[in-house]
Amino acid sequence: MKMFSKKMPLICLGILGMAGLLFTGCGQKSSSFQKVDTAMGTIVSQTLYVDGQGQEVSREIISCINQLEQELLSWRLPESEIYRINENAGNEEGMEISPKLAEMLKACLEVSSASQGAFDITIGDVVRLWDIDSWAGAEDISGFIVPEEEAIREALKDTGYEGITLQDGNLIMPKDFQLDMGAVGKGIALDEIRELLRQHKEVTGAVISVGGSVLTYGSKPDGSVWNVGVVNPLEPSENIGILKLSGEWCVSTSGDYERYVEVRGERYHHILDPATGRPASGGVRGVTILTKEGLYSDALSTACFVLGVEKGMALAEHFEAEVLFILEDGEIMMSEGMKKYLYLSNAGK
Ligand code: AMP
Ligand code: MG
């Protein structure tokens, strides 16, 4: 038995020229500040270019992520809205939810509908059944049990985004349904961080990675582009290439190498196909999405992983996102627009 967990951000931050103190063209001082923390159960890496000190903003960013998890998105923490929604499943009256969460859920349902359920936040019961997150990276995985077909069928009965109703801030969820925001949480964090950075005019540029999702913001003092590496799922310590980006972007990656358990040569990873209740197995090893909003980049990376190349390309286009697929044999397929940003490692571009 082998196991592996890649909780480190697998899109690495290719930040070049990281001197402690940099100078902008207009003579203003801009210092670069770097920090790596853990939040939302993953690694958060920050590089901030600040006219002044970066520590305080950096702390606020971590608080913002923690608050998002504790107050809105966690299925584990009793004070979060998602937890209370899950507790309230089966209440025919439904439950009033905050306008902020309502907006997020609306966007999630939009992606569910456009992806014909390949992305589905009502998949909570099936995620709990597999429990990959608990086992991936564990020293001893002898207790990991591949769920029985019957158990998967049962859990699947309590899923299906079409079963929930969201109207005027009221959410009605059938009995035993459980929401899981794992596929969008990191992307939502990027959107929140961007809003926070906008309030801090002293931050002139930033690149922030929350797990597999990266936000680029503003610009570097020397005007050069942001470099965001795209991991090779076949060799996760290497990049297949670099995305060269100017200004604000969100880049999310979903891959079968991020969190998985391997039993007798079979890999059970954390991205489930809601149609089967099993790890998605459409021949894709990794998907990277490039778009302006984190919620969408994250939701779409998961959806495209499940859908595979043909349907995934169409879905990304529908949301005006760029997409890159890495297939089992290492072949790389991408949208036309993605080609403008990607510099392949072995292409000598
Ligand atoms: P990501 O790494 O962004 O692709 O998200 C994977 C996480 O989202 C898993 O750990 C589950 O918590 C959850 N998840 C797995 N499969 C799906 C799916 N098809 N739709 C929505 N959420 C999912
Ligand atoms: Mg995702």
Side-chain angles (χ1 to χ4, degrees):
M1 281 189 185
K2 269 198 297 177
M3 71 279 170
F4 181 76
S5 169
K6 198 75 181 161
K7 286 193 176 165
M8 286 292 287
L10 288 170
I11 285 207
C12 23
L13 307 179
I15 321 269
L16 303 175
M18 224 97 69
L21 198 63
L22 300 156
F23 294 89
T24 58
C26 55
Q28 213 173 25
K29 265 191 268 181
S30 204
S31 55
S32 85
F33 179 85
Q34 285 179 279
K35 187 101 201 308
V36 179
D37 300 270
T38 309
M40 243 183 195
T42 191
I43 306 284
V44 178
S45 321
Q46 309 178 43
T47 296
L48 304 171
Y49 292 94
V50 194
D51 292 338
Q53 296 293 314
Q55 280 98 330
E56 189 44 43
V57 183
S58 165
R59 265 196 293 273
E60 279 186 41
I61 287 171
I62 297 300
S63 307
C64 163
I65 300 171
N66 286 335
Q67 197 179 349
L68 182 67
E69 188 187 25
Q70 285 156 15
E71 293 179 7
L72 287 186
L73 303 182
S74 173
W75 62 269
R76 291 174 208 268
L77 302 173
E79 60 272 28
S80 92
E81 268 197 89
I82 290 292
Y83 185 97
R84 280 184 276 127
I85 288 169
N86 287 345
E87 285 281 289
N88 203 50
N91 178 343
E92 286 168 17
E93 306 276 289
M95 180 182 150
E96 199 168 321
I97 62 172
S98 66
K100 190 167 176 172
L101 188 63
E103 273 302 303
M104 293 169 185
L105 295 186
K106 207 170 128 213
C108 288
L109 292 173
E110 186 193 356
V111 178
S112 293
S113 167
S115 68
Q116 286 157 346
F119 166 82
D120 191 339
I121 53 169
T122 69
I123 200 162
D125 254 11
V126 189
V127 174
R128 297 296 92 72
L129 179 68
W130 282 91
D131 201 20
I132 300 283
D133 280 357
S134 302
W135 291 102
E139 283 289 312
D140 175 11
I141 55 160
S142 54
F144 171 74
I145 298 165
V146 178
E148 301 278 345
E149 252 328 301
E150 180 57 24
I152 295 174
R153 259 201 306 276
E154 281 303 310
L156 276 176
K157 283 184 189 160
D158 300 325
T159 68
Y161 71 96
E162 285 159 311
I164 63 175
T165 311
L166 176 61
Q167 208 164 27
D168 301 329
N170 191 61
L171 181 73
I172 307 174
M173 203 159 71
K175 188 170 169 296
D176 296 330
F177 269 44
Q178 296 288 291
L179 299 186
D180 180 310
M181 301 294 276
V184 273
K186 297 185 282 303
I188 289 173
L190 300 187
D191 292 333
E192 296 284 305
I193 294 166
R194 190 182 44 228
E195 288 315 305
L196 177 73
L197 290 176
R198 284 191 179 136
Q199 291 161 25
H200 283 276
K201 298 294 175 221
E202 73 276 21
V203 179
T204 54
V207 57
I208 294 168
S209 164
V210 182
S213 288
V214 179
L215 169 74
T216 63
Y217 175 88
S219 58
K220 281 196 228 172
D222 66 1
S224 61
V225 292
W226 302 115
N227 295 289
V228 179
V230 178
V231 168
N232 180 0
L234 280 64
E235 205 59 68
S237 60
E238 293 172 5
N239 288 333
I240 59 122
I242 302 282
L243 292 172
K244 291 190 175 284
L245 306 171
S246 299
E248 285 180 23
W249 288 98
C250 292
V251 182
S252 290
T253 292
S254 289
D256 70 355
Y257 54 88
E258 291 178 310
R259 294 203 289 281
Y260 67 86
V261 185
E262 226 164 63
V263 184
R264 288 184 287 278
E266 178 115 24
R267 178 174 295 198
Y268 299 97
H269 62 80
H270 71 305
I271 305 164
L272 304 174
D273 183 345
T276 62
R278 306 181 70 84
S281 58
V284 176
R285 299 289 313 273
V287 176
T288 295
I289 297 279
L290 172 65
T291 190
K292 292 288 179 180
E293 286 179 75
L295 183 148
Y296 287 98
S297 66
D298 203 355
L300 290 173
S301 71
T302 308
C304 288
F305 189 100
V306 174
L307 285 174
V309 177
E310 201 178 319
K311 288 183 178 167
M313 286 272 192
L315 181 72
E317 196 179 336
H318 176 80
F319 285 97
E320 296 177 9
E322 303 306 338
V323 61
L324 177 149
F325 294 85
I326 302 170
L327 309 183
E328 264 164 7
D329 59 2
E331 191 184 353
I332 299 168
M333 313 271 287
M334 67 186 115
S335 57
E336 271 308 302
M338 188 66 106
K339 292 178 186 164
K340 288 196 287 227
Y341 305 101
L342 183 75
Y343 287 69
L344 286 168
S345 301
N346 58 7
K349 273 210 269 184

